Amino acid sequence: MQITRTAPRLGIAALACVSGTALAADPDLLLPAMAAHWSGYLALATFLLAILLVSLEEFTQFSKSKPVMISAGVIWALIGWYAVTTGSAAQAEQSVRQSLLQYSELMLLILVVMTYINALGERRVFKTLRARLCNRGLSYRGLFWSSGISTFLLSPFLDNLASALLVGALILVIEPDNRRFISLGCINVVVAANAGGAFSPFGDITTLMVWQQDIQSSNGALDFWSFFNLFIPALISFLIPACAMHLALPKGRLQPHCQPVRMLRGARRIMLLFLGAIATAVLFRGVLHLPAVVGMLTGLSYLQFFGYYLKKTHRPLEEGVEDAEMLASPVPVDGRTPFDVFVRVGQVEWDTLLFIYGVALSVGGLGYIGYMATASDIMYSQWGATAANITVGLASAVLENVPTMYSVLTMMPDMTQGEWLLATLSVGTGGSLLAIGSAAGVALMAQSNGNYTFYSHLKWTPVILLAYFAGILVHLWLNARLF
């Protein structure tokens, strides 16, 4: 969330590295006069202030959705006022409705993914995985690598935030007084989560945004499978910091002390339904050429029907007997509360969804004013696509990856498949450079009771930066055919 803005061109260049929205406004609807008017400057300053507050979330404990939501309201109020005074109110209304439509598609897609993740959590899938890792009697180095690799492999399916919270919780509880191991383990989990989320459309909100936009690059469409070209570059971005931190780990073995946990009835079937929902979304998008969100919402109905079955066949356990019966039972059984899919919907991360709304509408407004078109010309026409994509990746360490990727999608430069994948990789892995660069880092800092901090992460930033550029170089070499 960078700060400055004096001359118009400097302000626009800064905005290109800090902002985000769903789509660039139609050139016919831009208000070039407003870009040089005090109302345009006020709109830009409002958004920069909101992004600054988001970047300070760790210190202010101020949820990130609040500043960007009020920013969206202020920016569109200024646009509305200017549009009314210049006789262009209909165009402003059309533009804000376009931004709302595109945000709604993304929100519903994320909502389904989060609902499935919450359902898997309610069925104790993640607690079971964590307990099995905990009780394997690993050494510090064994747990470090097991947790990192598990996070890297889970992120493509669960998204980077959920994966980091799941595995990070194990790091935090297994050795609560070992500050050194917790710090290194959490950094490893954050880097692994962001790297793993970069090569799958469902691995990170930013990757999902790129896939959902149905981008037609200059050398072909960016389809679901295109993102898996980033697997090896993302793996490099994870392995280099992990190998460096391996040398700093304490020696010795852990004493396992986690209670055994058994998954509840239906857990494995919900995993299969989740994969079926993803397959349906890919089918709608890749074969039927319809929005992926329609397929994903169809996939939510699978969970609804199965949830109805679980509810009707529920066998409640007596209070106090639950854990003993679950451990003794040869098959997974239910807990005391029947499964309810709408409870799972209600427990999604609404702060994240409202944050994306605020970012989308704020920068939708700035794009309508005309700032994003100028930023695109400066960065992608004058600097070149590769330099611009590397820059926005570095910016995501400060600005968070969601606003940064929204800015690229707002500018919508004409790029090859390789360049779009470079933007995805750089924004995803660039968020690992600082603890505040991704939701995974912010969430683990909040839960670590001071054992994992901004400054403990900062000590390893040079190594993570080396891995960032190494991953980019591997992508440029390995996927040269896509450029």
Side-chain angles (χ1 to χ4, degrees):
M1 295 105 191
Q2 225 33 318
I3 28 182
T4 55
R5 173 191 69 70
T6 39
R9 287 176 69 87
L10 288 177
I12 293 165
L15 173 65
C17 296
V18 300
S19 60
T21 183
L23 251 191
D26 188 321
D28 296 334
L29 303 181
L30 296 177
L31 301 177
M34 187 177 177
H37 190 262
W38 66 263
S39 58
Y41 294 142
L42 180 58
L44 178 58
T46 298
F47 183 71
L48 292 174
L49 176 60
I51 291 297
L52 179 62
L53 289 174
V54 171
S55 70
L56 297 175
E57 180 185 16
E58 178 200 357
F59 309 104
T60 63
Q61 302 301 310
F62 199 61
S63 63
K64 60 187 176 184
S65 63
K66 292 183 177 69
V68 291
M69 286 182 69
I70 198 168
S71 166
V74 170
I75 289 171
W76 279 103
L78 290 168
I79 291 174
W81 171 83
Y82 190 88
V84 167
T85 59
T86 56
S88 56
Q91 292 93 325
E93 181 183 4
Q94 180 182 346
S95 182
V96 73
R97 288 185 183 276
Q98 182 184 29
S99 292
L100 279 170
L101 173 63
Q102 291 166 349
Y103 163 72
S104 299
E105 289 186 9
L106 180 61
M107 183 208 74
L108 289 172
L109 216 161
I110 296 171
L111 183 69
V112 177
V113 174
M114 287 182 171
T115 301
Y116 265 102
I117 291 172
N118 287 341
L120 292 171
E122 188 272 343
R123 296 284 96 180
R124 299 188 175 184
V125 172
F126 306 134
K127 287 183 178 179
T128 303
L129 173 64
R130 196 164 62 220
R132 288 177 181 174
L133 273 176
C134 177
N135 291 322
R136 290 182 62 187
L138 298 170
S139 64
Y140 285 108
R141 290 179 173 179
L143 178 61
F144 177 85
W145 282 102
S146 296
S147 59
I149 293 171
S150 298
T151 306
F152 182 81
L153 296 177
L154 283 171
S155 289
F157 304 99
L158 299 185
D159 87 45
N160 57 350
L161 175 59
S163 303
L165 288 175
L166 163 65
V167 183
L170 171 65
I171 299 292
L172 296 173
V173 301
I174 199 167
E175 285 284 327
D177 299 322
N178 194 329
R179 182 184 179 94
R180 180 183 172 191
F181 176 72
I182 288 176
S183 176
L184 293 172
C186 286
I187 296 170
N188 187 45
V189 164
V190 170
V191 173
N194 291 333
F199 70 86
S200 165
F202 290 92
D204 191 346
I205 292 175
T206 56
T207 319
L208 188 61
M209 288 190 300
V210 177
W211 179 58
Q212 187 246 355
Q213 282 296 323
D214 194 20
I215 292 171
Q216 302 294 323
S217 69
S218 57
N219 62 342
L222 203 64
D223 61 19
F224 181 84
W225 304 108
S226 300
F227 294 91
F228 291 92
N229 287 296
L230 294 176
F231 174 77
I232 293 179
L235 183 63
I236 294 296
S237 298
F238 156 59
L239 287 178
I240 290 177
C243 290
M245 286 185 283
H246 172 91
L247 301 176
L249 287 168
K251 297 180 180 180
R253 303 190 75 81
L254 296 152
Q255 296 299 319
H257 54 76
C258 297
Q259 284 284 86
V261 180
R262 184 186 294 275
M263 291 186 290
L264 296 183
R265 184 171 63 97
R268 292 180 177 83
R269 281 169 283 182
I270 292 178
M271 293 182 207
L272 293 176
L273 292 176
F274 188 21
L275 293 176
I278 294 174
T280 305
V282 174
L283 172 68
F284 269 70
R285 176 66 177 280
V287 179
L288 303 179
H289 302 289
L290 295 173
V293 65
V294 180
M296 207 64 188
L297 286 169
T298 304
L300 180 60
S301 69
Y302 308 160
L303 183 61
Q304 289 179 297
F305 277 103
F306 186 64
Y308 175 79
Y309 163 75
L310 288 178
K311 195 171 185 178
K312 287 298 182 181
T313 58
H314 178 70
R315 178 169 63 89
L317 299 173
E318 295 182 13
E319 190 162 352
V321 186
E322 179 176 351
D323 288 337
E325 181 171 344
M326 285 184 61
L327 291 175
S329 174
V331 295
V333 295
D334 285 331
R336 291 189 295 272
T337 306
F339 181 87
D340 189 337
V341 67
F342 291 107
V343 172
R344 309 282 78 78
V345 173
Q347 292 176 344
V348 302
E349 183 53 59
W350 285 101
D351 184 53
T352 297
L353 294 176
L354 293 176
F355 169 68
I356 296 172
Y357 159 81
V359 169
L361 271 290
S362 293
V363 191
L366 297 176
Y368 178 71
I369 292 171
Y371 288 130
M372 300 310 296
T374 307
S376 179
D377 177 66
I378 293 173
M379 295 185 65
Y380 285 92
S381 297
Q382 299 181 26
W383 298 0
T386 300
N389 288 328
I390 293 174
T391 301
V392 296
L394 294 172
S396 69
V398 180
L399 315 173
E400 240 209 19
N401 49 6
V402 172
T404 307
M405 182 53 79
Y406 260 126
S407 69
V408 178
L409 293 173
T410 300
M411 293 182 278
M412 198 56 76
D414 182 19
M415 297 193 295
T416 62
Q417 288 187 53
E419 291 292 359
W420 276 111
L421 291 175
L422 174 59
T424 305
L425 176 68
S426 61
V427 170
T429 58
S432 300
L433 292 170
L434 298 176
I436 61 172
S438 67
V442 173
L444 282 186
M445 278 193 295
Q447 293 189 352
S448 69
N449 295 320
N451 290 310
Y452 167 55
T453 66
F454 176 88
Y455 298 103
S456 65
H457 190 112
L458 190 64
K459 294 177 183 177
W460 292 94
T461 293
V463 176
I464 300 171
L465 181 64
L466 174 65
Y468 171 79
F469 283 109
I472 289 173
L473 290 174
V474 170
H475 170 59
L476 293 174
W477 168 68
L478 194 64
N479 300 316
R481 69 190 187 283
L482 301 176
F483 286 83

